Amino acid sequence: MANKKIALVSGGNKGIGFEIVRGLLQAGCRVYLGAREAAKGQQAVAELAAEGDVRFLELDLANQATLDAAAAHLQREEGHLDILVNNAGINAPGDGSPSTATVRSVEQVLQTNFVGTLAATQAFLPLVKQAAAGRIVNVSSPLGSLTVVSQNDWSLLGYSASKAALNMLTVQLAYELRDTAIKVNSAAPGYTATDLNGFDGTDTPTQGAAEAIRLALLPADGPTGTMSSSTGPLPW
């Protein structure tokens, strides 16, 4: 038990996050499943109990108190955090092209997907620094790549901007931690069928989770400060 890697996955109660939790359990980690709603989080933990050592933590990216409480709990229970997967995120109905997206929708998506993830990262980073070789994975999207979006007709300004900002967090944090054993990378799941897109994706959640799991388990010679999908590196 003492040799298990300790992982935390935000938004782990459904979709890609649920499958990331499953994959890390199958890799032998003890996984804290972060979810905003206790009932849904505990239900997900019950569904995954046969896969390994999984535990629920209340996490709401819009509620700093839950982040602080979760960090304090992990400090007491574990003393460190080997893996942080920032998976939780939202979209908003009013998002769209620059000429039609409502400002409120854009603000809402940025507040959760970027500002909320930044708050979570800052809350748990001291625990990651206490691990022998921490891993931080930010679940991003090809929609956060300026290069990719410039070549496609994807008009979700708020969501794309939130993931581009998340990628900036990846790059800057990786550089800040360059002299440590911590690796920080962005994982792009691809077009995965989840409730985020009305289950309209072409990939399964298991397929969407694969790259985040790989990056969470990187060896010492793995990369840092990158964005990649299961097919390889992606441009910023």
Side-chain angles (χ1 to χ4, degrees):
M1 292 286 288
N3 294 324
K4 283 180 177 284
K5 288 186 176 179
I6 310 303
L8 169 62
V9 181
S10 68
N13 61 293
K14 61 182 179 178
I16 293 170
F18 185 87
E19 294 302 329
I20 293 172
V21 173
R22 189 199 302 274
L24 293 177
L25 288 171
Q26 292 174 348
C29 300
R30 174 154 61 247
V31 184
Y32 286 83
L33 184 156
R36 183 177 56 188
E37 298 180 42
K40 292 180 178 179
Q42 290 164 350
Q43 179 181 346
V45 164
E47 291 175 14
L48 290 166
E51 304 278 358
D53 189 352
V54 57
R55 307 177 184 189
F56 168 69
L57 267 184
E58 181 184 358
L59 280 185
D60 183 348
L61 300 190
N63 185 340
Q64 185 68 44
T66 68
L67 302 178
D68 294 340
H73 179 85
L74 287 173
Q75 182 64 56
R76 289 192 306 269
E77 294 294 314
E78 308 292 352
H80 72 282
L81 185 62
D82 297 285
I83 297 166
L84 171 62
V85 181
N86 287 314
N87 166 75
I90 65 168
N91 61 9
D95 200 1
S97 68
S99 62
T100 62
T102 67
V103 171
R104 176 62 187 132
S105 295
V106 172
E107 287 176 338
Q108 183 180 2
V109 174
L110 283 167
Q111 184 65 39
T112 297
N113 295 2
F114 174 60
V115 178
T117 299
L118 173 61
T121 302
Q122 291 180 345
F124 299 115
L125 184 57
L127 285 156
V128 177
K129 288 181 175 179
Q130 292 177 59
R135 302 288 181 262
I136 298 174
V137 181
N138 294 323
V139 177
S140 184
S141 168
L143 276 75
S145 165
L146 302 183
T147 301
V148 173
V149 171
S150 70
Q151 300 167 357
N152 291 274
D153 183 23
W154 291 339
S155 294
L156 285 171
L157 179 62
Y159 188 80
S160 293
S162 73
K163 294 301 185 179
L166 185 65
N167 288 341
M168 184 60 74
L169 172 61
T170 294
V171 169
Q172 292 203 10
L173 186 58
Y175 187 81
E176 181 180 348
L177 300 172
R178 66 193 180 280
D179 295 327
T180 74
I182 300 171
K183 298 185 185 298
V184 187
N185 292 285
S186 284
Y191 193 34
T192 305
T194 68
D195 62 355
L196 199 71
N197 56 29
F199 300 96
D200 192 37
T202 55
D203 296 340
T204 67
T206 300
Q207 292 171 314
E211 185 63 5
I213 295 168
R214 185 186 75 83
L215 292 172
L217 300 171
L218 279 176
D221 61 352
T224 189
T226 69
M227 176 166 63
S228 56
S229 69
S230 58
T231 61
L234 289 173
W236 300 117

